[in-house]
Structure formats: C-alpha cells, structure tokens
C-alpha cells in the first residue's frame, strides 16, 4: 500500500527526473533509510511540511490537555485524580518535545504559538468535542490515545531524526495513557447498569471523531503522496484508520459495549472489519472552526498564555540578571 501510495502520489509530486542534483541526493538518502538531521541540507518544502506537521502535533498535545483538565476536580477517587493529573502533565511534556523538534527547523516557539493563538494553525479535530461525563476520560484514553499510538508508532521511524527520536518517549507514555483509559472503561462496564450506560454513551460520542483523527480519506489527502515519498508518512490515513478499527472492535466486545456503526462487519476473506461511511462534512466543519468547542478551546488557550506572561517575563529577567552577574564576576587568575 505504501508503494501504491507513492506511485499514485507521483502524479502529484515532482517526478525524479525533474529534481535538482541536490534534491536527488536528498531523496536517495531518504530511500536508503538515512535519517535527515537539523543541519543537513533539505528542500524548503520538506522543511515546511515538517514544521506544519510537527507544530500541529505539538498544538494538539497542549490543546488536548483541555478536555481532560475539565475533569481533574471531579475525578471519582484520589487514585483516579492522580493518574489523570499525571496523564495531562505528560501531554504538556509531549508538546515541549515537539515544539523543540520543530525549533530545530529554524522556527521559533513564539511564532508557532502565535499561529495557534490567531487560529491560523491547526490542531487535531478530536479536541473540539466536549467531555460530558467521567466515562469520557475512559473513552479518550482508550480511543484517542489508542488512535494516537497507531498513528505515532510509525513516526518513530520517520525520516527526520529529531521528530523520530521525540516520538519514542511520546509513544511509551501514550501506551500508559491508553491502558488507563481502558481501565476506566473496564471499571464502568463491571459496575452498575447506569455506569455501563455511561461507558456506552461515551463510546457512542467518541467513536466517529476518533476515526476522523487519522485525517481525510487517501483520495482526499492533499499531503500524503509527498509525505510518503519523503518517508514522513510510512502508512496512509486509511491504512492506519483500518488498523484502529481492527484493533478496537474486539476490545469493545470484551467490554460488552457495541460500536455505534450498523454497517460494521468482519470480512472473513480480508481479515478486516468493514465499517460505515464517515461523515466528512462534520470533519471539515470542525477544521473550519465550527466544531462544538473550537472557540472555547482557543479562548482558554489564549487566556492561559496571557495569564502566564508575568511568569515568562520573570524567567527572562532572572536569566538576564544571571548572565550579567557572571559577566561582572572577577575571572579566576
Ligand atoms: N485534525 O493531507 P492530509 C494526540 C488536516 S495527538 C485537524 O492527510 P497530513 C495525543 C491536515 O493538517 C493528535 N486537521 O494531512 C493526545 C491538512 O491540512 P493542512 C495529533 C487535520 O498532514 C491524546 C488537511 O487536513 N496527532 O491525540 C486532521 O498528511 C489525548 C489534509 O490532510 C498528530 O498530529 C485532524 N484530525 O496528515 C493528547 C500526529 N487530519 O495542514 C491529549 C502527526 C488532517 O494542509 C489527549 N500528524 N488534517 O492545512 C500526522 O500524522 C498527520 O499530520 C495527519 C494528517 C495524519 C494528522
């Protein structure tokens, strides 16, 4: 499928015969599996694509803290609260590794955050949905972190070294996040009928948006062909989405929950689940800023940034003072 993606994609990407000698040598290194590092020569478009994807990914991690942050004060036990807090802090850490990876490409964190705060930069559609009950903490860990892992494991092998290396730790932590989500779902499903119903309701609301996380279908994905050629993407959006469905349906069966898709059925011949049509109009509306929580998420993010201004200023003032002090200190003979 990867080869097929590149083949069909070649209609959209520059043919190799049109590449400059520098570009051809660059593509050859990628084809040979050599990692590209920050100081290596790279085509401008490769740099731009990486800045776009890595920064969107970083924004997703920090905006992704907000829906779960909504439940910290209402976690049902001290243990669940501690686990949720740790998870949310991990997401901030992921944002930091990813902003740092993007900075190696010559863009500043301030520029990236300004693009997020002005609404110019995208972040994952999934974080524009509301978290209505405690069961949503289970569904997010299970389905959202579960999908994030499926998408991100291949990124550990992508062609850009700083991004690939950042993803290794991110994936390890996401795996803990997915397990804690499934653990919440298991507790609810073993609980009272009302608790099980809460879990089913969360699955009903998060299932389709989780499938949308993987991006538009391969036929509609504008960036896939070029990103596949550069080995930023090792699998297509549809391939990864199928993987998520195949992995998750048996997990729902184990919980005794039903997937909200009347067209879902296992195909004995292919060994894969077939699933119903995704409502792409909903996906594109969310991308345009019209999801249930887009405005609220952006407002909260901007407010948090503005409220932290005094702290960032104090850190810089302290660093400047330290620098001044060491410059003034008498040198040892
Ligand atoms: N939401 O041509 P493609 C997480 C945009 S992290 C919003 O297929 P591409 C952890 C796309 O940017 C979740 N926009 O694009 C966590 C492009 O627009 P552009 C984030 C989307 O880049 C868990 C246009 O549509 N993960 O969950 C989405 O080749 C719990 C056309 O699409 C990553 O960012 C979407 N879902 O493939 C945190 C992983 N899908 O930029 C807290 C890295 C597509 O041309 C709590 N990123 N678009 O204007 C990727 O793998 C890729 O960027 C894809 C999109 C697969 C997301």
């Amino acid at each position: 499928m990867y080869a097929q993606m590149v083949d069909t994609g070649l209609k959209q990407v520059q043919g190799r015969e049109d590449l400059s000698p520098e570009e051809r040598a660059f593509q050859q290194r990628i084809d040979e599996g050599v990692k590209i590092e920050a100081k290596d020569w790279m085509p401008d478009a490769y740099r731009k694509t990486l800045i776009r994807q890595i920064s969107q990914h970083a924004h997703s991690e920090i905006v992704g803290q907000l829906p779960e942050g909504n439940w910290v004060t209402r976690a049902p036990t001290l243990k669940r609260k501690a686990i949720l807090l740790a998870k949310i802090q991990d997401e901030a850490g992921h944002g930091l590794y990813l902003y740092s990876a993007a900075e190696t490409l010559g863009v500043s964190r301030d520029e990236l955050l300004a693009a997020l705060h002005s609404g110019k930069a995208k972040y994952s559609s999934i974080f524009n949905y509301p978290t209505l009950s405690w069961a949503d903490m289970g569904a997010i860990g299970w389905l959202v972190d579960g999908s994030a892992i499926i998408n991100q494991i291949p990124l550990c092998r992508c062609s850009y070294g700083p991004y690939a290396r950042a993803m290794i730790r991110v994936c390890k932590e996401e795996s803990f996040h997915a397990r804690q989500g499934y653990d919440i779902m298991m507790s609810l499903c073993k609980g009272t009928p009302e608790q099980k119903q809460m879990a089913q309701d969360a699955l009903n609301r998060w299932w389709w948006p989780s499938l949308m996380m993987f991006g538009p279908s391969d036929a509609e994905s504008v960036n896939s062909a070029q990103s596949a050629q550069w080995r930023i993407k090792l699998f297509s959006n549809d391939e990864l989405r199928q993987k998520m469905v195949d992995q998750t349906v048996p997990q729902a069966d184990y919980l005794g929950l039903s997937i909200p898709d009347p067209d879902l059925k296992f195909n004995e011949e292919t060994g894969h689940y077939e699933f119903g049509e995704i409502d792409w109009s909903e996906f594109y509306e969310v991308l345009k800023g019209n999801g249930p929580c887009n405005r609220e998420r952006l407002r909260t993010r901007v407010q948090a940034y503005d409220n932290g201004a005094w702290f960032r200023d104090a850190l810089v003032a302290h660093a400047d003072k330290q620098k001044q002090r060491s410059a003034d200190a008498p040198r040892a003979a």
Side-chain angles (χ1 to χ4, degrees), residues 170-181:
V170 171
C171 284
K172 284 187 180 155
E173 292 176 353
E174 298 291 22
S175 152
F176 151 67
H177 299 169
R179 290 179 73 107
Q180 68 85 39

Side-chain angles (χ1 to χ4, degrees), residues 313-326:
D313 290 347
L315 280 180
V316 172
H318 179 70
D320 286 348
K321 219 171 190 180
Q322 290 286 91
K323 228 189 273 165
Q324 191 57 45
R325 256 194 219 131
S326 48

Side-chain angles (χ1 to χ4, degrees), residues 49 52-68 87-88 91-92 94 98 120 122-128 140-141 144-149 151-152 155 163 167 170 174 177 209-218 220-225 227-228 232-233 235-237 240 280 283-284 286-287:
T49 292
R52 177 185 64 79
Q53 176 166 327
I54 301 173
S55 64
Q56 281 177 8
H57 193 167
H59 300 329
S60 304
E61 298 284 355
I62 61 167
V63 176
Q65 295 182 287
L66 302 176
E68 288 171 303
K87 177 190 190 299
I88 296 171
E91 310 299 359
H94 299 174
L98 287 162
K120 203 173 123 213
K122 292 192 173 75
Y123 57 85
S124 183
S125 50
I126 192 77
F127 302 118
N128 292 306
I140 289 182
V144 177
D145 287 276
S147 297
I149 295 170
N151 167 272
Q152 289 169 17
L155 290 175
Y163 191 24
M167 291 319 298
V170 171
E174 298 291 22
H177 299 169
S210 298
L211 296 194
M212 293 173 197
M213 272 179 81
F214 294 91
S217 69
D218 292 352
E220 300 295 323
S221 167
V222 286
N223 302 303
S224 281
S227 288
I232 294 170
K233 271 181 150 173
F235 296 95
S236 78
N237 297 359
L240 295 174
W280 290 114
F283 173 74
Y284 287 112
V286 175
L287 257 59

Side-chain angles (χ1 to χ4, degrees), residues 94-114:
H94 299 174
L96 291 179
Y97 316 149
L98 287 162
Y99 284 123
S100 300
E103 282 177 311
T104 64
L105 292 155
V107 65
S108 77
R109 195 170 304 192
D110 285 345
E111 286 173 271
L112 297 176
L113 287 174

